[in-house]
Amino acid sequence: MLTVLPMTSINSHLNYTSIRNQTMSLAAPLSAEDCCVQAMPDASPVKWHLAHTTWFFETFVLESWELEFKPYHSAFRVLFNSYYNAIGDKHPRSQRGMLSRPSLDEVMAYRANVDQRIQALLVSNIDNQALLQMIELGLHHEQQHQELMLSDIKYLLSLNPLFPSYKNISESVEPPNELRTKLPKSTKDLMWCNFDAGLVQLGRNSSENKSENTEFFFDNETPRHQVYLQAYKLASRLVTNSEYAQFIAEGGYQQAQYWLSEGWDWRKAQDRHHPLYWVKENNVWNEFTLNGLAPLNPDQPVVHISYFEADAYARWAEARLPTEAEWENAAANLPLKGHFSDSGLFHPMPDQDLYNLLSPDGLTQMFGDVWEWTQSSYAPYPGFRAKADAVGEYNGKFMVNQYVLRGGSCVTPVNHLRASYRNFFPAHACWQFSGIRLAR
Amino acid sequence: MLTVLPMTSINSHLNYTSIRNQTMSLAAPLSAEDCCVQAMPDASPVKWHLAHTTWFFETFVLESWELEFKPYHSAFRVLFNSYYNAIGDKHPRSQRGMLSRPSLDEVMAYRANVDQRIQALLVSNIDNQALLQMIELGLHHEQQHQELMLSDIKYLLSLNPLFPSYKNISESVEPPNELRTKLPKSTKDLMWCNFDAGLVQLGRNSSENKSENTEFFFDNETPRHQVYLQAYKLASRLVTNSEYAQFIAEGGYQQAQYWLSEGWDWRKAQDRHHPLYWVKENNVWNEFTLNGLAPLNPDQPVVHISYFEADAYARWAEARLPTEAEWENAAANLPLKGHFSDSGLFHPMPDQDLYNLLSPDGLTQMFGDVWEWTQSSYAPYPGFRAKADAVGEYNGKFMVNQYVLRGGSCVTPVNHLRASYRNFFPAHACWQFSGIRLAR
Amino acid sequence: MLTVLPMTSINSHLNYTSIRNQTMSLAAPLSAEDCCVQAMPDASPVKWHLAHTTWFFETFVLESWELEFKPYHSAFRVLFNSYYNAIGDKHPRSQRGMLSRPSLDEVMAYRANVDQRIQALLVSNIDNQALLQMIELGLHHEQQHQELMLSDIKYLLSLNPLFPSYKNISESVEPPNELRTKLPKSTKDLMWCNFDAGLVQLGRNSSENKSENTEFFFDNETPRHQVYLQAYKLASRLVTNSEYAQFIAEGGYQQAQYWLSEGWDWRKAQDRHHPLYWVKENNVWNEFTLNGLAPLNPDQPVVHISYFEADAYARWAEARLPTEAEWENAAANLPLKGHFSDSGLFHPMPDQDLYNLLSPDGLTQMFGDVWEWTQSSYAPYPGFRAKADAVGEYNGKFMVNQYVLRGGSCVTPVNHLRASYRNFFPAHACWQFSGIRLAR
Amino acid sequence: MLTVLPMTSINSHLNYTSIRNQTMSLAAPLSAEDCCVQAMPDASPVKWHLAHTTWFFETFVLESWELEFKPYHSAFRVLFNSYYNAIGDKHPRSQRGMLSRPSLDEVMAYRANVDQRIQALLVSNIDNQALLQMIELGLHHEQQHQELMLSDIKYLLSLNPLFPSYKNISESVEPPNELRTKLPKSTKDLMWCNFDAGLVQLGRNSSENKSENTEFFFDNETPRHQVYLQAYKLASRLVTNSEYAQFIAEGGYQQAQYWLSEGWDWRKAQDRHHPLYWVKENNVWNEFTLNGLAPLNPDQPVVHISYFEADAYARWAEARLPTEAEWENAAANLPLKGHFSDSGLFHPMPDQDLYNLLSPDGLTQMFGDVWEWTQSSYAPYPGFRAKADAVGEYNGKFMVNQYVLRGGSCVTPVNHLRASYRNFFPAHACWQFSGIRLAR
């Protein structure tokens, strides 16, 4: 089911080429101008993503294993360092959009140069497990930035009054009209899946002697550990646009009682009255997508929701958000099925099961479509220790004031995701493809 | 052991008088000017605390049970509402210091009026359990504000270049000199107490039919629930000033590797190089206390530490902060012994056990002295539901981006505290009396 | 007409006592709490004004001439320095409200001590012209702070939802009802006074050998110099509340065309729709005054107007603001008559001449009532040189991004004002008693 | 001497093509990425300048005179409006850098389209004076944006750690080495030119019946009016880098006494210790130029100086800045000679006269090289009235909190400049090519 096979020198090579090319094809619809602009401090220019992911391979692979290593360009060492304080200076994050030079062409040449050197290195290091593992980490890092490229460019294009589309996306998932009417009309019609109380296992074992055929995972998924769960229920599907529109229509954004205190302050300060990217024209809701402005599809999962909004919606719906343990326990044995970036749709879709009503009491939409906010603050698993080297800065140092999201989205590559995967963002973040699954 | 006895109309009356008087005696050393100023948006003027705690009794007790209730002053309804959105308008928090009127004298008259009416109500409602419970809540609310009055006035006085003292505090806890030399010199000498893995019970049962003789607790301590803990160790005592000074001396504030990413940004933005209230003069550390500026006592627990600093210190010390479950499990059966506000010292003290070395492998300083940061984000216990009324805003709506602290401090009344008590503040907060206990 | 007589040791002594006492009597209606709070960074606590004016005499008089001078309190040297960088450190302006200590009583003791020493010094230095001149400067400085005390306390009280009054002011100036109807109804009815083109003299001569009997003036009024004026017209009276209300009613705050670009940005950022202190209740305009909230008197001069508002009003009225040269040329020979602080009204009043219609073509209200904005940026007169010492910081260093106001206000002492007096504030300032006279 | 000839349909046509082409050739060295980024809110992307200047012709010329006018693109009407509130909505200034679409190519097509239509219009309106005058205004507007393009792109490139050059500029002005030693070494050696007191005429006549052969000027240069000047002296040349470096070396940026109070606050808030674009490497001053980083030439005029710095320097040098009247009176009859943008140097140059010592008592460098700060706040000339239409927003509404600069710079086209030209910027602005001429 999962496509990330164990790393051998051969498929590492294949994966390397394929994943690096995928980044290029995501950038292909964009002009050099599109790739240069930084839309807000939390987002980065696409050009920076293209360069930074290359910097990762140059710094953590070539510099360690390439004989007679020389940096491609001494200034790139600083310009494209993201946050690895142990590596040295870095260009300030909020200034990434000022870099009209190097040009997009020069960054592409940088990519080509590093790719060629990595491939040469792979040929001569066919059995170097440490190197292969570092490349594997770099490829998962690259996939994370593929997702960020799409979120960041969507945010940039949304600021443009022309509402330009990233790409003309012809495919879509439309139910036959006769099925539409069968859809549940409100959260009251939600199906709830029951889970018993008990001790469960979460996370992954981080044995030093990784046996072959072991799937990749990040250090923040370790160690595997035991958790006691009370009995709980999960909604069988994601919250839809029509349900969320009902929350708005019933004054959800005007009543403090539904909101966390900090969430209410955020809502007021931002003057938010609806999700990011919703646009009302002639009293009809539209939604900005990577395909441009489109009428809001009532059956699609609501997306680009902050934790504050997700929590407020849940309270209004007399439910709550799941914990990450509840989510992972439910997802652990499900097939990794859903709308991922591989589909090229780049927008969440109504689940066909919803229309077919095939699985009235089973979980649907657990993977892909939208990242699902959990109520769990991002924290180390019991026994977690970050590595001492620069790569150790990868995850551990963000473990404060962030909330865990699970399940991947329509801009996540399917082979990047797994049930134990922990994504995390601050509670106010809504430019990611994040949505809501209710729990009780 | 606990001093909060079951509420009957009699001791309710006694408690009411005694706790309300305690608030007055805490304000007694202060001038009207001291009581009027708001030192920062997170802190409130003492006068505001005096009025707001009175507003609580007027709003939630008198308005509900007093026949022919009339507000003492219609404007006070808004001015002294803190955050209860359900109650109506409130004066903006950051503007509390603008209220030179009503004067301190007028607020004292307001207190006296409400006190007299509450006492009259108690006489005629000797068996009204709902009323008695609301008064009990009001008294615990009052005790929380007693603690805040002391933290807030300390912060205000610290901004004054004259370093004025709140009160001349003569008592102190000094070890015989011959014992000082026996003290452990660094964290390497810390004793660690071991706890086995297993299922434990945390929190309190919130049965509707509260039997008599039941101790008070807040809703955020409920419901009692089961948690699985891995085996862990707790440091036998708090981190001391001398240990923290060593962290500083070894460059702890200059090395990003010890810090959470957001913590490092906070440190830089605030230009922090030592704890709040530490002042270096002639190359010697002093500390601002409620007794004025004093030489730093190396054996005292370090205090006024943010979560960011506590976490960085723990990483430097090759340890971590405990979870709140680990802490409560360890504390559940310990006597409620420590330096609380009742001592009138208003500063953490070295534990005598430390000098006597009587309990080499037991936990000391678990209660009083300093609030101990846990790594646990403030979140609802499984099954927690906030009440629907205004009092339901008390705790639940703050459950985001805050971290739990346990154990009480030297400005907490002893009869306000218990092992299951959950305090919470944002990670950057350091004007509370917060310190560090390490775990592994 | 002018009450500032030439300084001899005798009347210096008298003036000293009288002006210092006047400061005390302005503070008398206020509580210690009222005197402690800083309402905004541009305003200072009354207590700070009381201490700072005393610091001025201690620093610039006692320190220079008192034998065996010792500072009253070493910390006061820093705490109550306003901006004299040459004198040494100063407490940050925005932190003045944090000083609950020293108490108001202690500041009063400081005042009494310095007053007693100054008086002793005057007895023994009966002919010391340098000392006498410095005392005279200190007294004018004191009068400036008398005015600021009233503006600052008004701003503070206005932030209080109770709308407290500074003082119960019984007097007022009311026209007989039968005269009211004769009043001009709009700016179209304004009388205009004509002035011919020509060379005029402005400012004061700063001869080193000040002859006796010379009136005091600030260095920014020097040197006297020649200016060529084109022919111009001045409105015979100030703009009234009813005229300004018409500007509002006709959309003046909604139309960018009337506003300077920076003024329009200010208006939007502040969300201003009317002058500071205007409050609409039940569709009727009220105005906050030092006597509390009162119905807006349509015949009174509009007050608490920013330069931006004054300029926008003038453009709407098809007129402009006068230059300071035009104003001074017109005022030079007029009697110093008007509602000053000496009246104890502390609010601008309709001019009786207005009702009596005695001076249909003469200028009225040129002095007192409100400071009149001119279109002149505050700049040095040709040949102006600031003195090299600390007192030289008095005026010159503020000569950028400020606009000149002329004529004094209802909170200015009459013996502080003269036709050549140059007041100055930034274009956004509106907490001063500033108003509008039109020119063409 | 002046190169702007009277507008006839013929040379209008010639000028139109030539000035519009000049804009294109200034953009030619830049990539689409360079043209897209907005470096700060006060600066605009080059692409925006290219589009906005075109919008000006489309809106104020084509829309008025073209039969069957249709907008080129409806959204461009809003996107490329700068500040003309009368025209309608405008895209927020600080968001101009977010417009990766329309692309640079699309903007170039917009330019070509409007150019072609303007030229067609000129052919058929050979005698339409109103149209010709509006085109002339548009061309001067275009030239202003040519200058801003160069200032704005310089600022952007300066933020790039690669210090890229805008263009490889080979020419330069180097004195023979033997002359260098003859140069004055400090301000003490400055020559001063004397001007007598008296009545002078300033500005331009704005007669309605513009006779033919009349040179263009902006409304803010009108009306011509009389001013009385005291006797004054002007420095014969601009302040040089070596002189300014001496100011720095002697602690000019550390001593508050030289600075305006607001200037000192600006310096501290910005942590400024030298002019923008000065970079110290290995203890040697370099300067960022449009040709990249270069060693500081001690003989060149200091450039990119804020008003605050210019004023502080003047005070340190025991001089002052000139008023605009003093400057214009001195410049009125001088030849328009200097280093303008036409030279392609884009950096101020030492004057050859300096080395030749040909004009020991005459004024040099009055035009070109650097804009010279005057102490005059930007204000309307006596009798100035802005026009009522949209073009009337051109100048008048900026007349607050700005200071006048005179003489043009090395990025100003020579045929854009004249002695009566009034440029204006806020006192903190330093990204313009602004420098210092002293007066006394």
Side-chain angles (χ1 to χ4, degrees), chain B residues 134-320:
Chain B
M134 189 57 83
I135 286 181
E136 192 177 34
L137 177 63
L139 291 173
H140 282 274
H141 173 259
E142 180 107 8
Q143 289 185 309
Q144 292 180 311
H145 282 275
Q146 287 173 2
E147 175 152 0
L148 291 172
M149 280 166 61
L150 290 166
S151 330
D152 291 356
I153 197 69
K154 182 170 182 178
Y155 189 79
L156 171 63
L157 297 177
S158 80
L159 298 179
N160 194 316
L162 303 171
F163 289 126
S165 66
Y166 156 70
K167 189 180 177 179
N168 195 348
I169 300 161
S170 52
E171 311 99 297
S172 110
V173 177
E174 289 295 335
N177 272 339
E178 71 276 17
L179 285 183
R180 285 214 171 198
T181 57
K182 295 191 190 163
L183 269 185
K185 286 296 177 296
S186 76
T187 49
K188 294 207 176 66
D189 303 310
L190 263 188
M191 309 287 183
W192 294 93
C193 304
N194 292 289
F195 296 86
D196 293 336
L199 281 166
V200 301
Q201 295 280 330
L202 292 184
R204 309 299 297 261
N205 272 322
S206 55
S207 70
E208 288 299 313
N209 301 0
K210 258 190 173 183
S211 67
E212 295 224 0
N213 295 335
T214 300
E215 183 198 0
F216 174 86
F217 44 80
F218 284 114
D219 61 354
N220 64 1
E221 300 167 53
T222 67
R224 190 157 175 84
H225 63 287
Q226 201 159 240
V227 168
Y228 180 80
L229 292 179
Q230 333 291 318
Y232 66 102
K233 297 174 200 284
L234 283 188
S236 64
R237 58 169 174 79
L238 297 170
V239 171
T240 63
N241 282 329
S242 69
E243 287 166 338
Y244 200 86
Q246 191 187 351
F247 169 61
I248 297 173
E250 293 187 6
Y253 281 76
Q254 275 74 53
Q255 289 167 268
Q257 77 210 64
Y258 299 128
W259 295 75
L260 290 162
S261 180
E262 190 177 324
W264 185 245
D265 292 343
W266 169 83
R267 194 206 67 70
K268 283 188 295 180
Q270 301 272 324
D271 200 26
R272 287 286 169 96
H273 298 280
H274 53 74
L276 181 69
Y277 301 148
W278 285 31
V279 179
K280 209 170 206 166
E281 287 186 346
N282 304 319
N283 222 27
V284 173
W285 283 120
N286 292 273
E287 187 180 17
F288 180 69
T289 73
L290 282 168
N291 201 11
L293 203 60
L296 191 75
N297 181 336
D299 299 341
Q300 279 173 5
V302 68
V303 64
H304 297 294
I305 292 296
S306 70
Y307 179 86
F308 295 131
E309 289 165 310
D311 180 86
Y313 178 85
R315 196 165 292 118
W316 171 82
E318 295 177 359
R320 61 175 175 84

Side-chain angles (χ1 to χ4, degrees), chain B residues 30 32-34 36-39 47 73 75 79 91 97-104 156-157 159-162 164-165, chain C residues 30 32-34 36-39 47 73 75 79 91 97-104 156-157 159-162 164-165:
Chain B
L30 299 171
E33 295 171 70
D34 293 331
C36 186
V37 178
Q38 180 169 31
K47 184 168 70 178
H73 189 305
L79 289 180
H91 190 63
M98 295 300 110
L99 301 176
S100 63
R101 323 273 178 98
S103 71
L104 181 58
L156 171 63
L157 297 177
L159 298 179
N160 194 316
L162 303 171
S165 66
Chain C
L30 300 170
E33 295 172 69
D34 292 331
C36 186
V37 178
Q38 181 171 31
K47 183 169 70 178
H73 190 307
L79 289 179
H91 191 63
M98 296 299 111
L99 302 176
S100 63
R101 323 273 177 97
S103 69
L104 181 58
L156 171 63
L157 297 177
L159 299 179
N160 194 316
L162 302 171
S165 66

Side-chain angles (χ1 to χ4, degrees), chain A residues 191-206:
Chain A
M191 309 286 183
W192 295 94
C193 305
N194 292 289
F195 296 85
D196 293 336
L199 281 166
V200 302
Q201 295 279 329
L202 292 184
R204 310 298 299 259
N205 272 322
S206 55

